[in-house]
Amino acid sequence: RQYRQAWQILAQIPLEGKLEAISAEFPDGALILSLLHSLDRLEWLDPFHYRLIYRHNSAKMTFKPKNEIFPYLYTRRCRWHFLLNAFGFQENADNFRCGHCDNCRRNRPLVS
């Protein structure tokens, strides 16, 4: 249902616009814009403004998860360490361990 709505809204909204305007015009507008972004059909210019992306090589909208998410999901290291590295803070990430993420808690030594 949401894919159908996204496709219908995609045909009705301007190439660039404001989140606020789309949310006012369509009941699930913000959710649909988010879905379009996950489908690589929309890019965010800032948190409140979007631009549509049209691809002529595919007639069908399909969900393709970003390749960057899989290493994060499957890492056994500290998730914060992973994020610091991913965003270019290698110096801060060296020997960093938050102690609170699921991986740090799983690998925490038992205190007697």
Side-chain angles (χ1 to χ4, degrees):
R1 176 178 167 236
Q2 288 176 334
Y3 287 111
R4 190 168 5 110
Q5 283 180 321
W7 189 254
Q8 291 169 348
I9 289 175
L10 181 63
Q12 298 176 37
I13 62 177
L15 290 176
E16 290 188 21
K18 294 182 178 182
L19 170 64
E20 184 178 286
I22 300 304
S23 295
E25 188 172 344
F26 301 97
D28 292 328
L31 179 65
I32 299 302
L33 290 179
S34 177
L35 178 61
L36 289 170
H37 179 258
S38 70
L39 296 168
D40 290 330
R41 297 296 178 140
L42 177 142
E43 67 178 336
W44 290 104
L45 304 174
D46 61 42
F48 307 102
H49 299 88
Y50 70 88
R51 177 185 307 144
L52 293 179
I53 301 169
Y54 282 98
R55 303 211 191 298
H56 298 291
N57 59 353
S58 65
K60 185 172 140 184
M61 294 172 67
T62 57
F63 179 72
K64 295 180 182 173
K66 303 278 186 211
N67 291 335
E68 297 85 16
I69 195 72
F70 290 114
Y72 174 80
L73 292 174
Y74 294 107
T75 186
R76 293 181 184 262
R77 298 184 74 187
C78 173
R79 297 204 189 271
W80 278 104
H81 178 270
F82 181 93
L83 291 172
L84 287 168
N85 271 319
F87 285 99
F89 297 98
Q90 286 83 9
E91 290 178 19
N92 301 71
D94 290 343
N95 300 316
F96 181 82
R97 186 174 159 209
C98 74
H100 299 288
C101 71
D102 60 329
N103 290 334
C104 285
R105 291 191 330 205
R106 184 179 311 118
N107 297 326
R108 185 182 296 164
L110 296 174
V111 178
S112 19

